[in-house]
Amino acid sequence: MAWFVKIERGIVQKSVFDQFVPAHKVYVQQLIDQGHCARTGYWREAAGGLLLFQAESRAQAQALVDQDPLILNHCVEYELHEWVVVSGAPL
């Protein structure tokens, strides 16, 4: 499986964003349970964050991202990139 990174920037007020964080955490746990090795977090100094995960293809990665509650509820803008690991142990 290939690695993908969703880099996101918050575009709504924090009070709105925070309403969807619990659903986002459930979504990430589902990715983990399905074998996508997902990890997520946020930028301490800015609105937004990052999701790192594995998928079989770019199409599958896009389909997975499309299910994120933060995307479905228009809380973030994002970029999706395939990440090519050149060094380091796998997660």
Side-chain angles (χ1 to χ4, degrees), residues 40-54:
T40 191
Y42 61 91
W43 312 126
R44 185 170 306 278
E45 70 283 349
L50 182 142
L51 173 67
L52 175 66
F53 65 100
Q54 289 184 315

Side-chain angles (χ1 to χ4, degrees), residues 14-91:
K14 185 176 182 328
S15 61
V16 174
F17 184 92
D18 288 349
Q19 293 175 29
F20 300 102
V21 170
H24 173 72
K25 289 180 178 180
V26 169
Y27 157 79
V28 173
Q29 186 59 54
Q30 290 171 339
L31 291 179
I32 293 166
D33 294 346
Q34 294 168 3
H36 294 285
C37 299
R39 299 293 183 269
T40 191
Y42 61 91
W43 312 126
R44 185 170 306 278
E45 70 283 349
L50 182 142
L51 173 67
L52 175 66
F53 65 100
Q54 289 184 315
E56 291 292 335
S57 65
R58 171 99 184 175
Q60 184 188 40
Q62 185 64 61
L64 293 171
V65 166
D66 289 345
Q67 297 172 30
D68 187 335
L70 296 178
I71 301 298
L72 291 172
N73 292 285
H74 311 286
C75 295
V76 298
E77 292 179 339
Y78 72 93
E79 297 176 16
L80 180 62
H81 300 279
E82 184 172 351
W83 183 46
V84 179
V85 179
V86 296
S87 182
L91 294 176

